[in-house]
Coordinates of all heavy atoms in Angstrom, one line a residue:
M100 N -29.6 -33.5 81.7 CA -28.7 -33.1 80.7 C -29.3 -33.6 79.4 O -29.4 -34.9 79.3 CB -27.3 -33.5 81.0 CG -26.2 -33.0 80.0 SD -26.1 -31.3 79.9 CE -25.3 -31.0 78.3
S101 N -29.5 -32.7 78.5 CA -30.0 -33.1 77.2 C -28.9 -32.8 76.2 O -28.2 -31.8 76.2 CB -31.3 -32.4 76.8 OG -32.3 -32.9 77.6
Y102 N -28.9 -33.6 75.1 CA -27.9 -33.2 74.0 C -28.8 -32.9 72.8 O -29.8 -33.6 72.4 CB -27.0 -34.4 73.6 CG -25.9 -34.6 74.7 CD1 -26.1 -35.7 75.5 CD2 -24.8 -33.8 74.7 CE1 -25.1 -35.9 76.6 CE2 -23.9 -34.0 75.7 CZ -24.0 -35.0 76.6 OH -23.1 -35.3 77.4
C103 N -28.6 -31.8 72.3 CA -29.3 -31.2 71.1 C -28.4 -31.5 69.9 O -27.3 -31.1 69.8 CB -29.5 -29.7 71.2 SG -30.3 -29.1 69.8
V104 N -28.9 -32.4 68.9 CA -28.2 -32.8 68.0 C -28.6 -32.5 66.6 O -29.9 -32.2 66.4 CB -27.8 -34.4 67.8 CG1 -27.0 -34.9 69.1 CG2 -29.2 -35.0 67.8
T105 N -27.7 -32.2 65.5 CA -28.2 -32.1 64.3 C -27.9 -33.4 63.5 O -26.9 -34.0 63.7 CB -27.3 -30.9 63.5 OG1 -27.5 -29.8 64.3 CG2 -27.7 -30.8 62.0
Y106 N -28.9 -33.8 62.8 CA -29.0 -35.1 62.1 C -29.4 -34.9 60.8 O -30.2 -34.0 60.5 CB -29.6 -36.2 63.0 CG -31.0 -36.0 63.1 CD1 -32.0 -36.6 62.3 CD2 -31.5 -35.1 64.1 CE1 -33.3 -36.4 62.5 CE2 -33.0 -34.9 64.2 CZ -33.8 -35.6 63.4 OH -35.1 -35.4 63.5
S107 N -29.2 -35.9 59.9 CA -29.7 -36.0 58.6 C -29.6 -34.7 58.0 O -30.5 -34.0 57.5 CB -31.1 -36.5 58.6 OG -31.3 -37.7 59.2
E108 N -28.4 -34.2 57.9 CA -27.9 -32.9 57.3 C -28.3 -31.6 58.0 O -27.5 -30.9 58.6 CB -28.4 -32.9 55.9 CG -27.7 -34.0 55.1 CD -27.5 -33.6 53.7 OE1 -28.1 -32.6 53.2 OE2 -26.9 -34.5 53.0
S109 N -29.6 -31.4 58.3 CA -30.0 -30.1 58.9 C -31.2 -30.3 59.8 O -31.7 -29.3 60.2 CB -30.3 -29.2 57.8 OG -31.5 -29.7 57.0
K110 N -31.5 -31.5 60.2 CA -32.7 -31.6 61.3 C -32.1 -31.5 62.6 O -31.0 -31.8 62.9 CB -33.4 -32.9 61.1 CG -34.1 -33.0 59.7 CD -34.8 -34.4 59.5 CE -35.4 -34.5 58.1 NZ -35.7 -35.9 57.7
V111 N -33.0 -31.1 63.5 CA -32.5 -30.8 64.9 C -33.4 -31.6 65.8 O -34.6 -31.7 65.6 CB -32.5 -29.3 65.3 CG1 -32.3 -29.2 66.8 CG2 -31.5 -28.6 64.5
G112 N -32.8 -32.2 66.9 CA -33.6 -33.0 67.8 C -32.9 -33.1 69.1 O -31.7 -32.9 69.1
L113 N -33.5 -33.7 70.1 CA -32.9 -34.0 71.4 C -32.6 -35.5 71.4 O -33.4 -36.3 71.2 CB -33.9 -33.6 72.6 CG -34.1 -32.2 72.8 CD1 -34.9 -32.0 74.0 CD2 -32.9 -31.4 72.9
L114 N -31.4 -35.7 71.8 CA -30.8 -37.2 71.8 C -31.4 -37.8 73.0 O -31.1 -37.3 74.1 CB -29.3 -37.1 71.8 CG -28.6 -38.4 71.8 CD1 -29.1 -39.2 70.5 CD2 -27.1 -38.3 71.8
L115 N -32.0 -38.9 72.9 CA -32.8 -39.5 74.1 C -31.9 -40.6 74.5 O -31.6 -40.8 75.7 CB -34.1 -40.0 73.8 CG -35.1 -38.9 73.3 CD1 -36.5 -39.5 73.0 CD2 -35.2 -37.9 74.5
S116 N -31.4 -41.5 73.6 CA -30.6 -42.6 74.0 C -30.0 -43.3 72.6 O -30.4 -42.9 71.6 CB -31.5 -43.6 74.7 OG -32.5 -44.2 73.9
F117 N -29.2 -44.2 72.9 CA -28.6 -45.1 71.9 C -29.1 -46.4 72.0 O -29.3 -47.0 73.2 CB -27.1 -45.1 72.0 CG -26.5 -43.8 71.5 CD1 -25.8 -43.0 72.5 CD2 -26.4 -43.4 70.2 CE1 -25.2 -41.8 72.1 CE2 -25.8 -42.3 69.9 CZ -25.3 -41.4 70.9
V118 N -29.4 -47.1 70.9 CA -29.8 -48.6 71.0 C -28.8 -49.3 70.0 O -28.4 -48.9 69.0 CB -31.2 -48.8 70.6 CG1 -32.1 -48.3 71.7 CG2 -31.5 -48.3 69.3
K119 N -28.5 -50.5 70.7 CA -27.7 -51.4 69.8 C -28.5 -52.5 69.2 O -29.4 -53.2 70.0 CB -26.7 -52.0 70.7 CG -25.6 -52.9 70.1 CD -24.7 -53.5 71.1 CE -23.7 -54.4 70.6 NZ -22.8 -55.0 71.7
I120 N -28.5 -52.7 68.0 CA -29.4 -53.8 67.4 C -28.5 -54.8 66.6 O -27.7 -54.4 65.8 CB -30.4 -53.1 66.4 CG1 -31.3 -52.1 67.2 CG2 -31.2 -54.1 65.6 CD1 -32.3 -51.4 66.4
K121 N -28.8 -56.0 66.9 CA -28.1 -57.1 66.2 C -29.0 -57.5 65.0 O -30.2 -57.6 65.1 CB -27.9 -58.4 67.1 CG -27.2 -58.1 68.4 CD -26.5 -59.4 68.9 CE -27.7 -60.2 69.6 NZ -27.3 -61.3 70.3
H122 N -28.2 -57.9 64.0 CA -29.0 -58.3 62.8 C -28.8 -59.7 62.5 O -28.4 -60.1 61.5 CB -28.6 -57.5 61.6 CG -28.8 -56.1 61.6 ND1 -30.0 -55.5 61.3 CD2 -28.1 -54.9 62.0 CE1 -30.0 -54.2 61.6 NE2 -28.8 -53.8 62.0
C123 N -29.2 -60.5 63.6 CA -29.0 -61.9 63.5 C -30.1 -62.5 64.4 O -30.6 -61.8 65.3 CB -27.7 -62.5 63.8 SG -27.2 -62.3 65.5
N124 N -30.1 -63.8 64.5 CA -31.0 -64.5 65.4 C -30.3 -65.4 66.5 O -31.0 -66.2 67.1 CB -32.1 -65.3 64.7 CG -32.9 -64.5 63.8 OD1 -33.5 -63.6 64.2 ND2 -33.1 -64.9 62.5
C125 N -29.1 -65.1 66.7 CA -28.3 -65.9 67.7 C -28.9 -65.7 69.0 O -29.3 -64.5 69.3 CB -26.9 -65.4 67.7 SG -26.1 -65.4 66.2
L126 N -29.1 -66.6 69.8 CA -29.6 -66.4 71.2 C -28.4 -66.4 72.2 O -28.6 -66.1 73.3 CB -30.5 -67.7 71.5 CG -31.8 -67.7 70.6 CD1 -32.5 -68.9 71.0 CD2 -32.5 -66.5 70.8
S127 N -27.2 -66.5 71.7 CA -26.1 -66.5 72.7 C -25.8 -65.2 73.0 O -25.9 -64.2 72.1 CB -24.9 -67.2 72.0 OG -23.7 -66.7 72.4
D128 N -25.3 -64.8 74.2 CA -24.9 -63.6 74.6 C -23.6 -63.1 73.9 O -23.3 -62.0 73.7 CB -24.7 -63.5 76.1 CG -26.0 -63.5 76.9 OD1 -26.9 -63.2 76.3 OD2 -25.9 -63.7 78.0
N129 N -22.7 -64.1 73.6 CA -21.4 -63.8 72.8 C -21.4 -63.9 71.5 O -20.5 -64.3 70.9 CB -20.2 -64.4 73.6 CG -20.5 -65.8 73.9 OD1 -21.3 -66.4 73.2 ND2 -19.8 -66.4 74.9
C130 N -22.5 -63.6 70.9 CA -22.6 -63.6 69.4 C -21.7 -62.5 68.9 O -21.6 -61.4 69.4 CB -24.1 -63.3 69.0 SG -24.3 -62.2 67.7
D131 N -21.0 -62.8 67.8 CA -20.1 -61.8 67.2 C -20.5 -61.5 65.7 O -19.5 -61.4 65.0 CB -18.6 -62.1 67.5 CG -18.2 -63.4 66.8 OD1 -19.1 -64.1 66.4 OD2 -17.0 -63.8 67.0
C132 N -21.7 -61.6 65.4 CA -22.1 -61.5 64.0 C -22.1 -59.9 63.7 O -22.2 -59.5 62.6 CB -23.6 -61.9 63.9 SG -23.8 -63.6 64.2
G133 N -21.9 -59.1 64.6 CA -21.9 -57.7 64.4 C -23.2 -56.9 64.8 O -24.3 -57.6 64.7
S134 N -23.2 -55.8 65.1 CA -24.4 -55.0 65.4 C -24.3 -53.6 65.0 O -23.1 -53.2 64.7 CB -24.8 -55.1 66.8 OG -23.6 -54.8 67.6
K135 N -25.3 -52.9 65.1 CA -25.2 -51.5 64.6 C -25.9 -50.6 65.8 O -26.7 -51.0 66.5 CB -26.0 -51.2 63.4 CG -25.3 -51.7 62.2 CD -26.0 -51.3 60.9 CE -25.6 -49.8 60.5 NZ -26.2 -49.5 59.2
F136 N -25.4 -49.5 65.8 CA -25.8 -48.4 66.9 C -26.9 -47.5 66.2 O -26.6 -47.1 65.1 CB -24.7 -47.8 67.6 CG -24.1 -48.5 68.6 CD1 -22.9 -49.3 68.3 CD2 -24.5 -48.7 69.9 CE1 -22.3 -50.1 69.2 CE2 -23.9 -49.4 70.8 CZ -22.9 -50.2 70.6
Y137 N -27.9 -47.1 67.0 CA -28.8 -46.3 66.4 C -29.2 -45.2 67.5 O -28.9 -45.5 68.8 CB -30.2 -46.9 66.1 CG -30.1 -47.8 64.9 CD1 -29.7 -49.1 65.0 CD2 -30.2 -47.4 63.5 CE1 -29.4 -50.1 64.1 CE2 -30.1 -48.3 62.5 CZ -29.6 -49.6 62.7 OH -29.6 -50.4 61.7
A138 N -29.5 -44.0 67.0 CA -29.8 -43.0 68.1 C -31.3 -42.9 68.1 O -31.9 -42.7 67.0 CB -29.0 -41.7 67.7
V139 N -31.8 -42.6 69.3 CA -33.3 -42.3 69.5 C -33.3 -40.9 69.7 O -32.8 -40.2 70.7 CB -33.9 -43.1 70.6 CG1 -35.4 -42.8 70.7 CG2 -33.7 -44.6 70.4
I140 N -34.1 -40.1 68.8 CA -34.0 -38.8 68.9 C -35.6 -38.2 68.8 O -36.4 -38.6 68.2 CB -33.4 -38.2 67.6 CG1 -31.9 -38.5 67.6 CG2 -33.5 -36.6 67.4 CD1 -31.2 -38.2 66.2
N141 N -35.7 -37.1 69.8 CA -37.0 -36.4 69.8 C -36.9 -35.3 68.7 O -36.1 -34.5 68.9 CB -37.3 -35.9 71.2 CG -38.6 -35.1 71.1 OD1 -38.6 -33.9 71.0 ND2 -39.7 -35.9 71.2
Q142 N -37.7 -35.4 67.7 CA -37.6 -34.4 66.6 C -38.1 -33.1 67.1 O -39.1 -33.0 67.9 CB -38.5 -34.8 65.5 CG -38.1 -36.2 64.8 CD -39.0 -36.4 63.6 OE1 -40.0 -37.0 63.9 NE2 -38.6 -36.1 62.4
C143 N -37.3 -32.0 66.8 CA -37.8 -30.8 67.2 C -38.1 -29.8 66.0 O -37.5 -30.0 64.9 CB -36.6 -30.0 68.1 SG -36.3 -30.9 69.6
T144 N -38.9 -28.9 66.3 CA -39.1 -27.9 65.2 C -38.2 -26.7 65.5 O -37.9 -26.5 66.7 CB -40.5 -27.4 65.1 OG1 -41.0 -26.9 66.5 CG2 -41.5 -28.5 64.8
T145 N -37.6 -26.0 64.7 CA -36.7 -24.9 64.9 C -37.3 -23.6 64.4 O -38.0 -23.6 63.3 CB -35.4 -25.1 64.3 OG1 -35.5 -25.2 62.9 CG2 -34.7 -26.5 64.8
N146 N -37.0 -22.5 65.1 CA -37.3 -21.2 64.6 C -36.2 -20.3 64.7 O -35.4 -20.4 65.8 CB -38.6 -20.6 65.5 CG -39.8 -21.3 65.2 OD1 -40.3 -21.2 63.9 ND2 -40.4 -21.9 66.1
L147 N -35.9 -19.5 63.7 CA -34.8 -18.5 63.8 C -35.1 -17.5 64.7 O -36.4 -17.1 64.9 CB -34.6 -17.9 62.3 CG -33.9 -18.8 61.4 CD1 -33.8 -18.1 60.0 CD2 -32.3 -19.0 61.8
L148 N -34.2 -16.9 65.4 CA -34.4 -15.8 66.3 C -34.7 -14.5 65.4 O -34.4 -14.5 64.3 CB -33.2 -15.5 67.2 CG -32.8 -16.6 68.2 CD1 -31.6 -16.1 69.0 CD2 -34.0 -17.0 69.1
P149 N -35.4 -13.5 65.9 CA -35.8 -12.4 65.1 C -34.4 -11.8 64.5 O -33.3 -11.8 65.1 CB -36.2 -11.3 66.2 CG -36.7 -12.2 67.4 CD -35.8 -13.6 67.4
E150 N -34.5 -11.3 63.4 CA -33.4 -10.9 62.5 C -32.6 -9.9 63.2 O -31.3 -9.9 63.1 CB -33.9 -10.4 61.1 CG -32.8 -10.6 60.1 CD -33.4 -10.3 58.7 OE1 -34.5 -10.9 58.4 OE2 -32.8 -9.5 57.9
Y151 N -33.2 -8.9 64.0 CA -32.4 -7.9 64.6 C -31.4 -8.3 65.5 O -30.5 -7.6 65.9 CB -33.4 -6.8 65.2 CG -34.2 -7.3 66.3 CD1 -33.7 -7.4 67.6 CD2 -35.5 -7.8 66.2 CE1 -34.5 -7.8 68.8 CE2 -36.2 -8.2 67.2 CZ -35.8 -8.3 68.5 OH -36.6 -8.7 69.4
L152 N -31.6 -9.5 66.1 CA -30.6 -10.0 67.0 C -29.3 -10.5 66.3 O -28.3 -10.8 67.0 CB -31.1 -11.2 67.7 CG -32.3 -10.9 68.8 CD1 -32.9 -12.1 69.3 CD2 -31.8 -10.0 69.8
N153 N -29.3 -10.7 65.0 CA -28.2 -10.9 64.2 C -27.4 -12.2 64.7 O -26.2 -12.1 65.0 CB -27.3 -9.7 64.1 CG -26.2 -10.0 63.0 OD1 -26.5 -10.8 62.1 ND2 -25.2 -9.2 63.1
C154 N -28.2 -13.2 65.0 CA -27.6 -14.3 65.7 C -28.1 -15.6 65.0 O -28.8 -16.4 65.6 CB -28.2 -14.3 67.2 SG -27.3 -15.2 68.4
T155 N -27.6 -15.9 63.9 CA -28.1 -17.1 63.1 C -27.5 -18.4 63.6 O -28.0 -19.4 63.0 CB -27.5 -16.9 61.6 OG1 -26.1 -16.8 61.6 CG2 -28.2 -15.6 61.0
H156 N -26.6 -18.4 64.6 CA -26.2 -19.8 65.0 C -27.1 -20.3 66.1 O -26.8 -21.4 66.7 CB -24.8 -19.8 65.3 CG -24.4 -19.0 66.6 ND1 -24.5 -17.6 66.7 CD2 -24.0 -19.4 67.8 CE1 -24.1 -17.2 67.8 NE2 -23.9 -18.3 68.6
I157 N -28.0 -19.5 66.6 CA -29.0 -20.0 67.7 C -30.4 -20.0 67.1 O -30.8 -19.1 66.4 CB -29.0 -19.0 68.9 CG1 -27.5 -19.0 69.5 CG2 -29.9 -19.5 69.9 CD1 -27.4 -18.1 70.8
H158 N -31.0 -21.1 67.4 CA -32.4 -21.3 67.0 C -33.1 -21.6 68.2 O -32.7 -22.3 69.1 CB -32.6 -22.5 66.1 CG -32.1 -22.4 64.6 ND1 -32.3 -23.2 63.7 CD2 -31.2 -21.4 64.2 CE1 -31.7 -22.7 62.5 NE2 -30.9 -21.7 62.9
E159 N -34.4 -21.1 68.3 CA -35.4 -21.6 69.3 C -35.9 -22.9 68.8 O -36.4 -23.0 67.6 CB -36.5 -20.6 69.5 CG -37.4 -21.1 70.6 CD -38.3 -19.9 71.1 OE1 -38.2 -18.8 70.6 OE2 -39.0 -20.3 72.1
I160 N -36.0 -23.8 69.7 CA -36.5 -25.2 69.3 C -37.7 -25.6 70.1 O -37.9 -25.1 71.3 CB -35.4 -26.3 69.4 CG1 -35.0 -26.4 70.9 CG2 -34.3 -26.1 68.5 CD1 -34.1 -27.7 71.1
S161 N -38.6 -26.4 69.6 CA -39.7 -27.0 70.3 C -39.8 -28.4 70.2 O -39.6 -28.9 69.0 CB -41.0 -26.4 69.8 OG -41.0 -25.0 69.9
T162 N -39.8 -29.2 71.2 CA -39.8 -30.6 71.2 C -41.2 -31.0 70.7 O -42.2 -30.3 70.8 CB -39.6 -31.2 72.5 OG1 -40.5 -30.7 73.5 CG2 -38.3 -31.0 73.0
T163 N -41.3 -32.1 70.0 CA -42.5 -32.7 69.6 C -42.8 -34.0 70.1 O -42.0 -34.5 70.9 CB -42.4 -32.8 68.0 OG1 -41.6 -33.9 67.7 CG2 -42.2 -31.5 67.3
S164 N -43.9 -34.6 69.7 CA -44.2 -35.9 70.3 C -43.7 -37.0 69.4 O -43.9 -38.2 69.5 CB -45.8 -36.1 70.5 OG -46.4 -35.9 69.3
E165 N -42.9 -36.6 68.4 CA -42.4 -37.6 67.4 C -40.9 -37.9 67.8 O -40.0 -37.1 67.8 CB -42.3 -36.9 66.0 CG -43.7 -36.5 65.5 CD -44.6 -37.6 65.2 OE1 -44.1 -38.7 64.8 OE2 -45.8 -37.4 65.6
N166 N -40.7 -39.2 68.0 CA -39.3 -39.8 68.2 C -39.0 -40.6 67.0 O -39.9 -41.4 66.5 CB -39.3 -40.7 69.5 CG -39.4 -39.9 70.8 OD1 -39.3 -38.6 70.8 ND2 -39.7 -40.5 71.9
I167 N -37.7 -40.5 66.6 CA -37.3 -41.4 65.5 C -36.0 -42.0 65.9 O -35.3 -41.5 66.7 CB -37.2 -40.5 64.2 CG1 -36.2 -39.5 64.3 CG2 -38.5 -40.0 63.6 CD1 -35.7 -39.0 63.0
V168 N -35.7 -43.1 65.1 CA -34.5 -43.7 65.3 C -33.7 -43.6 64.1 O -34.2 -43.9 62.9 CB -34.8 -45.3 65.6 CG1 -33.5 -46.1 65.5 CG2 -35.6 -45.5 66.8
V169 N -32.5 -43.2 64.2 CA -31.6 -43.0 63.1 C -30.3 -43.7 63.2 O -29.8 -43.8 64.4 CB -31.4 -41.4 62.7 CG1 -32.6 -40.7 62.4 CG2 -30.6 -40.8 63.9
D170 N -29.7 -44.1 62.2 CA -28.3 -44.7 62.1 C -27.4 -43.7 62.7 O -27.5 -42.4 62.4 CB -28.0 -45.1 60.8 CG -26.8 -45.9 60.7 OD1 -25.6 -45.5 61.1 OD2 -26.9 -47.2 60.3
V171 N -26.4 -44.0 63.6 CA -25.5 -43.1 64.2 C -24.7 -42.3 63.0 O -24.3 -41.2 63.3 CB -24.5 -43.7 65.2 CG1 -25.2 -44.0 66.4 CG2 -23.9 -44.9 64.7
S172 N -24.6 -42.9 61.9 CA -23.8 -42.2 60.9 C -24.6 -41.0 60.4 O -24.1 -40.2 59.7 CB -23.6 -43.2 59.7 OG -24.8 -43.6 59.1
E173 N -25.9 -40.9 60.7 CA -26.7 -39.7 60.3 C -26.5 -38.6 61.3 O -26.9 -37.4 61.0 CB -28.2 -40.1 60.4 CG -28.7 -41.0 59.3 CD -28.6 -40.4 57.9 OE1 -29.2 -39.3 57.8 OE2 -28.0 -40.9 57.0
L174 N -25.9 -38.7 62.5 CA -25.6 -37.7 63.4 C -24.5 -36.8 62.8 O -23.4 -37.2 62.3 CB -25.2 -38.3 64.8 CG -26.1 -39.1 65.5 CD1 -25.6 -39.7 66.7 CD2 -27.4 -38.2 65.9
C175 N -24.8 -35.6 62.8 CA -23.8 -34.5 62.2 C -23.1 -33.8 63.2 O -21.8 -33.3 63.1 CB -24.6 -33.5 61.3 SG -25.6 -34.3 60.1
R176 N -23.7 -33.4 64.3 CA -23.1 -32.4 65.2 C -23.9 -32.4 66.5 O -25.0 -32.7 66.6 CB -23.2 -31.0 64.6 CG -22.6 -29.9 65.3 CD -22.5 -28.7 64.3 NE -24.0 -28.1 64.2 CZ -24.4 -27.8 63.1 NH1 -23.7 -28.0 61.9 NH2 -25.6 -27.4 62.9
I177 N -23.0 -32.1 67.6 CA -23.7 -31.9 68.8 C -23.7 -30.4 69.1 O -22.7 -29.8 69.0 CB -23.1 -32.6 70.0 CG1 -23.0 -34.1 69.8 CG2 -23.6 -32.2 71.4 CD1 -22.3 -35.0 70.8
N178 N -24.9 -29.9 69.3 CA -25.0 -28.4 69.6 C -25.2 -28.1 71.1 O -25.4 -29.1 71.9 CB -26.3 -28.0 69.0 CG -26.3 -28.2 67.5 OD1 -25.5 -27.9 66.7 ND2 -27.3 -29.1 67.1
Y179 N -25.1 -27.0 71.4 CA -25.4 -26.5 72.8 C -26.8 -26.5 73.1 O -27.7 -25.9 72.2 CB -24.8 -25.1 73.2 CG -23.2 -25.1 73.1 CD1 -22.7 -24.4 72.1 CD2 -22.5 -25.8 74.0 CE1 -21.3 -24.5 72.0 CE2 -21.1 -25.8 74.0 CZ -20.5 -25.1 73.0 OH -19.1 -25.0 72.9
Y180 N -27.3 -26.9 74.2 CA -28.8 -27.0 74.4 C -29.0 -26.1 75.6 O -28.4 -26.2 76.7 CB -29.1 -28.4 74.7 CG -30.7 -28.4 75.2 CD1 -31.7 -28.3 74.5 CD2 -31.0 -28.8 76.6 CE1 -33.0 -28.2 74.9 CE2 -32.2 -28.9 77.1 CZ -33.3 -28.7 76.3 OH -34.4 -28.6 76.7
I181 N -29.9 -25.1 75.4 CA -30.1 -24.1 76.5 C -31.5 -24.2 76.8 O -32.5 -23.9 75.9 CB -29.7 -22.7 75.9 CG1 -28.4 -22.7 75.5 CG2 -30.0 -21.7 77.1 CD1 -28.1 -21.6 74.5
N182 N -31.9 -24.5 78.1 CA -33.3 -24.6 78.6 C -33.6 -23.4 79.5 O -32.8 -23.2 80.4 CB -33.4 -25.9 79.3 CG -34.9 -26.2 79.7 OD1 -35.7 -25.2 79.9 ND2 -35.3 -27.3 79.8
M183 N -34.5 -22.6 79.0 CA -34.8 -21.4 79.8 C -36.3 -21.6 80.3 O -37.1 -20.6 80.0 CB -34.5 -20.1 79.0 CG -33.2 -20.0 78.6 SD -32.8 -18.4 77.7 CE -33.0 -17.3 79.0
G184 N -36.5 -22.6 81.0 CA -37.8 -22.7 81.6 C -38.8 -23.2 80.4 O -38.7 -24.4 80.0
D185 N -39.6 -22.3 80.0 CA -40.6 -22.6 79.0 C -40.1 -22.5 77.6 O -40.9 -22.8 76.7 CB -42.0 -21.8 79.2 CG -41.7 -20.4 79.2 OD1 -40.6 -20.0 79.4 OD2 -42.6 -19.7 79.1
R186 N -38.9 -22.0 77.5 CA -38.4 -21.9 76.1 C -37.0 -22.6 76.0 O -36.2 -22.7 77.0 CB -38.1 -20.5 75.7 CG -39.5 -19.6 75.8 CD -39.2 -18.2 75.5 NE -39.0 -18.1 74.0 CZ -38.8 -16.8 73.4 NH1 -38.8 -15.7 74.2 NH2 -38.5 -16.7 72.2
E187 N -36.8 -23.3 74.8 CA -35.5 -24.0 74.7 C -34.9 -23.5 73.3 O -35.5 -23.2 72.4 CB -35.9 -25.4 74.5 CG -36.5 -26.2 75.7 CD -37.1 -27.4 75.4 OE1 -38.1 -27.5 74.7 OE2 -36.6 -28.4 75.9
F188 N -33.5 -23.6 73.5 CA -32.7 -23.0 72.4 C -31.6 -23.9 72.1 O -31.1 -24.8 72.9 CB -32.1 -21.6 72.8 CG -33.1 -20.6 73.0 CD1 -33.6 -20.4 74.4 CD2 -33.6 -19.8 72.0 CE1 -34.6 -19.5 74.7 CE2 -34.6 -18.8 72.4 CZ -35.0 -18.7 73.5
C189 N -31.3 -23.9 70.7 CA -30.2 -24.8 70.3 C -29.1 -23.8 69.7 O -29.4 -23.1 68.9 CB -30.8 -25.7 69.2 SG -29.6 -26.5 68.1
A190 N -27.8 -23.9 70.2 CA -26.8 -23.1 69.6 C -25.8 -24.0 68.9 O -25.1 -24.9 69.6 CB -26.2 -22.3 70.8
K191 N -25.5 -23.6 67.7 CA -24.5 -24.3 67.0 C -23.1 -23.9 67.4 O -22.8 -22.7 67.6 CB -24.6 -24.0 65.5 CG -23.7 -24.5 64.6 CD -23.9 -24.0 63.2 CE -22.8 -24.1 62.2 NZ -23.1 -23.5 60.9
P192 N -22.2 -24.8 67.7 CA -20.9 -24.4 68.2 C -20.2 -23.6 67.1 O -20.3 -23.9 66.0 CB -20.1 -25.7 68.4 CG -21.2 -26.7 68.5 CD -22.3 -26.2 67.7
I193 N -19.6 -22.5 67.6 CA -18.9 -21.6 66.6 C -17.5 -22.0 66.3 O -16.8 -22.2 67.4 CB -18.9 -20.1 67.1 CG1 -20.3 -19.6 67.3 CG2 -18.1 -19.3 66.1 CD1 -20.5 -18.3 67.8
M194 N -17.2 -22.4 65.1 CA -15.9 -22.9 64.9 C -14.9 -21.6 64.5 O -15.3 -20.6 64.1 CB -15.9 -23.7 63.5 CG -16.8 -24.9 63.6 SD -16.5 -26.0 64.9 CE -17.8 -27.2 64.7
K195 N -13.7 -21.8 64.9 CA -12.8 -20.8 64.8 C -12.7 -20.2 63.4 O -12.6 -19.1 63.2 CB -11.3 -21.2 65.1 CG -11.0 -21.1 66.6 CD -9.5 -21.3 66.8 CE -9.2 -21.2 68.3 NZ -8.3 -22.2 68.7
F196 N -12.8 -21.0 62.3 CA -12.6 -20.5 61.0 C -13.8 -19.5 60.6 O -13.7 -18.7 59.7 CB -12.5 -21.6 59.9 CG -13.7 -22.5 60.0 CD1 -14.8 -22.1 59.2 CD2 -13.7 -23.7 60.5 CE1 -15.9 -23.0 59.1 CE2 -14.8 -24.6 60.5 CZ -15.8 -24.3 59.7
E197 N -14.9 -19.5 61.4 CA -16.0 -18.7 61.0 C -15.7 -17.2 61.4 O -16.5 -16.3 61.1 CB -17.3 -19.2 61.7 CG -17.7 -20.5 61.1 CD -19.0 -21.0 61.6 OE1 -19.9 -20.2 61.9 OE2 -19.1 -22.2 61.9
F198 N -14.6 -17.0 62.2 CA -14.3 -15.6 62.6 C -13.5 -15.0 61.5 O -13.3 -13.7 61.5 CB -13.5 -15.6 63.9 CG -14.3 -15.9 65.1 CD1 -14.1 -17.2 65.7 CD2 -15.4 -15.1 65.5 CE1 -14.9 -17.4 66.9 CE2 -16.1 -15.4 66.7 CZ -15.9 -16.6 67.3
N199 N -12.9 -15.7 60.5 CA -12.1 -15.0 59.5 C -12.9 -14.1 58.6 O -14.0 -14.2 58.4 CB -11.6 -16.3 58.6 CG -10.6 -17.1 59.4 OD1 -10.0 -16.7 60.4 ND2 -10.3 -18.3 58.8
Ligands
LIG441 ZN1 -25.3 -63.5 66.0

C-alpha cells in the first residue's frame, strides 16, 4: 500500500516512511528535548491526462530515483494512488464544494 502525497504546495510523491529526528545530543532514551518528524518521499513526475478525458483531478505519475526528506508540515494532502501494472496514477480527492 502506497500513499501518494502532495507536498510543498504542488509537488507529488510516494510517501515511503516517517523519521523522527532529535535535535540534541542526549544519549538517554528518555530525553525530552523535543524532536521533529519528517516524511521520506519518493519524488514523482506528473503528467496530465489527455485533455479530451476532461479529468483534471487525475495525473499520471512516474516514480524517480530521487528521495527527499521534508518536514511533515510540508505535507498538504493525501491523494488516491492507483497502480495499474506499468502505469501509476494519482487522484486528488474530490471535495464536496467542488460540485457547486
Ligand atoms: Zn535531548
Side-chain angles (χ1 to χ4, degrees):
M100 178 67 198
S101 297
Y102 290 102
C103 177
V104 293
T105 299
Y106 65 97
S107 301
E108 299 205 354
S109 59
K110 295 176 184 164
V111 172
L113 294 184
L114 181 61
L115 301 177
S116 65
F117 289 105
V118 290
K119 181 182 176 186
I120 296 178
K121 293 199 292 185
H122 294 280
C123 69
N124 294 313
C125 305
L126 296 175
S127 148
D128 282 342
N129 42 24
C130 139
D131 57 359
C132 302
S134 52
K135 286 187 80 176
F136 284 94
Y137 295 86
V139 184
I140 295 172
N141 179 261
Q142 294 180 280
C143 293
T144 57
T145 61
N146 286 301
L147 285 171
L148 296 183
E150 205 171 311
Y151 63 83
L152 291 174
N153 193 22
C154 199
T155 55
H156 70 290
I157 297 179
H158 290 194
E159 181 164 5
I160 59 171
S161 301
T162 54
T163 66
S164 56
E165 303 291 320
N166 290 344
I167 60 160
V168 176
V169 301
D170 191 295
V171 287
S172 66
E173 291 289 309
L174 297 177
C175 309
R176 184 172 66 233
I177 295 175
N178 304 297
Y179 296 111
Y180 171 70
I181 304 153
N182 186 332
M183 299 186 67
D185 56 345
R186 299 179 75 181
E187 295 166 293
F188 299 88
C189 162
K191 175 183 165 186
I193 297 176
M194 305 298 176
K195 273 192 181 137
F196 62 80
E197 291 183 40
F198 289 111
N199 291 341

